[in-house]
Amino acid sequence: MNRFLNIFLLTGIALLLALQASAINPDFSFSSGCLGTPTTLTSLTTPHDSILTLLWDLDADGRFNDGSGETIITTFSSIGNHPVGLQVIALNGDIRAIYKDVPVSGVQALFSFNAACMDQPVQFTDISTTFADSIILRTWNFGDGSPSVEAKNPQHTYTQTGTFVVSLWLISNLGCQDSLKNEIVMQPPPAFSLIFSGDTATFNNDTIFAEVTGTYDSAVWNGSFTGNLFVITNAGSYYVSVYRDGCFTMQSFVIRDHPTAQAGIMTLFTPNGDGFNDFWVIKNMENLGACSVRVFDSWGNQVYENSDYQNTWDGRSDNGELPSAPYYFVASFANGEVYKGTVNILR
């Protein structure tokens, strides 16, 4: 009895070892490449002589119905990792499966740019993406007849307005390629006029008003003061930057001092009783002698006269306060100097 039991046990162990020796080990290899390049999938399942069927799942839906055989070739439609499954059915009825991520390398061209203004540098920024690869060459063409540029984030200045087609071409370390074209519309810089209240000269901190006129979004004076009107009381160098739709134009100007041998005649005063610029002031009269003034309105009517002017006119005529407007003056000095011009009343 014991003899037959031992024989049975030995036979069972032998059968178990035989089954283990013939167990299927599914495996496969794959070729790597760029998007659009066929990928080759090759079974490496062992033992090879125990295989009955090889089935493939290429779309990761859990069904092995996308191909059969030891080697298949497929082309994936997107960059990235693609789960691929291999199911092996053995001669002894054993069924095993394995899934692996199959990478598809590639580059996708994409770029951005800042405000497009004629005669101002446009910053182009490469925001392309890669997978399992790296970009080794970028070639830009700006569409205006200028030479192509090989750089990551170039700047380019257009000298004309209009619509231009910008292209970016990429080559990766694995030889993958992609390109992109985008239109860029070049805007003209904002046009404006710079107007001064009289001469661009000051005398002993006389007040000058500078104003920008035109169609624009904002104006910034000397990099800090905003608004269309700028008050100046000192000689020096100034500039204004005018912005519209992300484009800007900058204009510099100089306010100079009047020579001391000349009269400093205010071209604007504000007789509103606030204690600031309430009177029309002529400076440097002590160097030119007594002063006689006459003031006329825009119709030629005399509205003010003083044969010995002492900087006391507050914008009134014999009929009362004069309205805000430009007036024409004649100032005659004892040394023979005669000054003519416009003075503005602003209430």
Side-chain angles (χ1 to χ4, degrees), residues 64 73 92 102 150 162 213 218 249 255 299 305 311 325:
F64 296 89
I73 299 175
N92 62 5
V102 177
E150 294 181 2
T213 61
S218 62
T249 302
I255 300 299
W299 291 277
E305 181 181 14
N311 292 333

Side-chain angles (χ1 to χ4, degrees), residues 144-160:
D144 61 348
S146 60
S148 297
V149 173
E150 294 181 2
K152 183 176 182 180
N153 301 314
Q155 285 187 343
H156 185 69
T157 300
Y158 290 85
T159 58
Q160 295 179 332

Side-chain angles (χ1 to χ4, degrees), residues 86-272:
L86 171 63
Q87 184 186 73
V88 182
I89 302 175
L91 292 170
N92 62 5
D94 189 17
I95 300 176
R96 301 290 180 90
I98 185 174
Y99 276 86
K100 288 184 177 182
D101 283 334
V102 177
V104 176
S105 303
V107 294
Q108 288 183 322
L110 189 62
F111 63 87
S112 63
F113 50 86
N114 62 355
C117 309
M118 186 185 74
D119 294 330
Q120 297 170 18
V122 180
Q123 178 66 60
F124 292 91
T125 303
D126 178 17
I127 52 176
S128 304
T129 59
T130 64
F131 182 80
D133 205 349
S134 59
I135 299 172
I136 61 173
L137 179 63
R138 298 172 175 87
T139 302
W140 298 83
N141 187 291
F142 301 110
D144 61 348
S146 60
S148 297
V149 173
E150 294 181 2
K152 183 176 182 180
N153 301 314
Q155 285 187 343
H156 185 69
T157 300
Y158 290 85
T159 58
Q160 295 179 332
T161 60
T163 301
F164 302 90
V165 178
V166 181
S167 62
L168 171 61
W169 179 50
L170 305 175
I171 299 179
S172 74
N173 187 55
L174 296 177
C176 304
Q177 300 183 30
D178 194 27
S179 62
L180 178 68
K181 293 182 178 181
N182 273 334
E183 287 187 349
I184 182 172
V185 180
M186 204 54 46
Q187 303 287 348
F192 70 96
S193 298
L194 188 57
I195 300 175
F196 298 92
S197 58
D199 192 12
T200 57
T202 182
F203 183 86
N204 291 342
N205 297 329
D206 194 6
T207 300
I208 294 176
F209 292 88
E211 182 181 7
V212 291
T213 61
T215 303
Y216 58 91
D217 298 328
S218 62
V220 181
W221 304 83
N222 277 24
S224 58
F225 300 97
T226 59
N228 67 313
L229 192 66
F230 187 51
V231 180
I232 303 170
T233 58
N234 296 305
S237 298
Y238 299 87
Y239 66 92
V240 60
S241 299
V242 176
Y243 296 84
R244 182 184 182 188
D245 296 332
C247 300
F248 74 94
T249 302
M250 185 179 73
Q251 183 172 334
S252 301
F253 58 95
V254 175
I255 300 299
R256 65 188 186 276
D257 279 319
H258 271 300
T260 57
Q262 294 184 351
I265 302 178
M266 291 178 62
T267 57
L268 181 146
F269 68 110
T270 57
N272 54 14

Side-chain angles (χ1 to χ4, degrees), residues 28-69:
F28 64 90
S29 65
F30 50 83
S31 62
S32 59
C34 304
L35 180 66
T37 302
T39 298
T40 301
L41 306 167
T42 304
S43 172
L44 302 176
T45 302
T46 58
H48 187 271
D49 57 1
S50 62
I51 298 172
L52 176 63
T53 305
L54 295 167
L55 301 174
W56 299 86
D57 176 13
L58 303 180
D59 54 11
D61 63 354
R63 296 181 295 176
F64 296 89
N65 59 354
D66 300 319
S68 62

Side-chain angles (χ1 to χ4, degrees), residues 12 19 182 258 277 318:
L19 289 173
N182 273 334
H258 271 300
N277 286 338
D318 293 338

